Every structure is written in C-alpha cells, then in structure tokens.
Amino acid sequence: VVGMLALSPTMETGILAEWYLSEGQAFSAGEAVAKIETDKASIDFEAQDDGYIAKILTEAGTGADIAVGTPIMVTVEEEDDVAAFKDFALEESAAPAPVAPAPEPAPAVVEAAAPTPPAPAPAPVAAPEPVAEAVPPPPMEDMIAAVAPVLSTGWGDFAKINSPIVKTLSKQQAEYIEKYGTTGQVPL
C-alpha cells in the first residue's frame, strides 16, 4: 500500500489530478505514475522501484484534498500478484489517524544535596591608583607635519589622498600611456 507522499517539505495535502498508468500496468523506478497538485505546483509522483499497479484506491480528478500518508494505490513486484488485489478494499482503521503529539515526560526531580558553605572571600587589597601625568597636546606645527605625507592641501576637485594604492595606480596608468598611448581617462 502506497500512501500520498510529501513531495515538498511543506506539503500537508495534495490533489490527485491524473493517473498516468492504470491497474495492472508495469512501471519502472523513476517513471511518473501520477500527477499531484500541491498548494504551490503540479508535481509528477515518480515510482521508487519497479513494479505493477495492483489497485488504485483513490480516483484522480475529484479535486479533493488528500492528506499526506493516506493510501492512494497498492503496488506489487510480480505481475502474477495483481489479480490477488482485484477486490481489495481499504479498511477504515487502516487509514492513518492524525498523530497526537507524544506527551512530554515529567521532568525528573533531583534532590538537592545539602548546600556547602561558600569559601570565605579573600580580603580586599587596596591598589594604589595610577597617577596620570597631564600631557599637553603637541604643537600644531608638529601635527601638520605628521599629516602632510598623507593629505595634500591642494585644491582640485577635492583634496587628494596620497595613499599607496593611488600612487601605484597612477604609476601603472603612466606606464600604460607611455606604452600604448592615451586611455581616454583623466590621469590620476
């Protein structure tokens, strides 16, 4: 007995739109047996193994939602076994019942051992506070001299940053222009 498979991770029900095979026909692994419509797409139900359809339990095209796990067909491995399921009817008790969540076990009560008294805390030791010497800010001339290699104060479009990458790119661009001529780009 083959139940409705979940053809996607979120599938809970599906509509059996069409059977591609009829009772007694053979199928091979990977062959499409039926078309099932989910809430997102129509997907072919492919056989996992070789076999024969002995009995179709759910008719196609009714438009009824079929829950995942509900039996839809009976398959057999040998053609001789098909006749044994000609009058097969599914018992109502064989249909999957909704699965109730398993009750959670009650948490085990662990008896607490007698608490051990905490170890005495060490006596605090007063640490001398560090004395910060007041350092005057450096003269403005020293700060300008420190920033000058990185920042040019010339006025172009904006002040240029003289970073190593700009120097490298500018050098490579100059070499290219010498070798091939103009690039059509404004030099860096």
Side-chain angles (χ1 to χ4, degrees), residues 4-94:
M4 173 70 83
L5 294 179
L7 300 175
S8 71
T10 59
M11 181 176 163
E12 294 177 4
T13 62
I15 298 172
L16 188 56
E18 176 183 0
W19 284 106
Y20 296 138
L21 302 174
S22 59
E23 291 180 5
Q25 284 189 308
F27 57 86
S28 56
E31 185 177 349
V33 177
K35 178 193 249 180
I36 297 176
E37 295 176 355
T38 67
D39 58 340
K40 297 179 182 147
S42 293
I43 303 171
D44 286 340
F45 173 54
E46 296 178 355
Q48 301 299 315
D49 297 314
D50 296 345
Y52 295 86
I53 296 181
K55 182 75 173 176
I56 293 177
L57 301 174
T58 305
E59 293 301 317
T62 61
D65 277 341
I66 303 168
V68 171
T70 302
I72 59 172
M73 69 177 165
V74 177
T75 60
V76 293
E77 292 180 3
E78 302 295 327
E79 186 176 14
D80 299 337
D81 297 334
V82 172
F85 290 95
K86 181 180 178 189
D87 297 325
F88 179 79
L90 187 64
E91 296 176 10
E92 290 299 320
S93 62

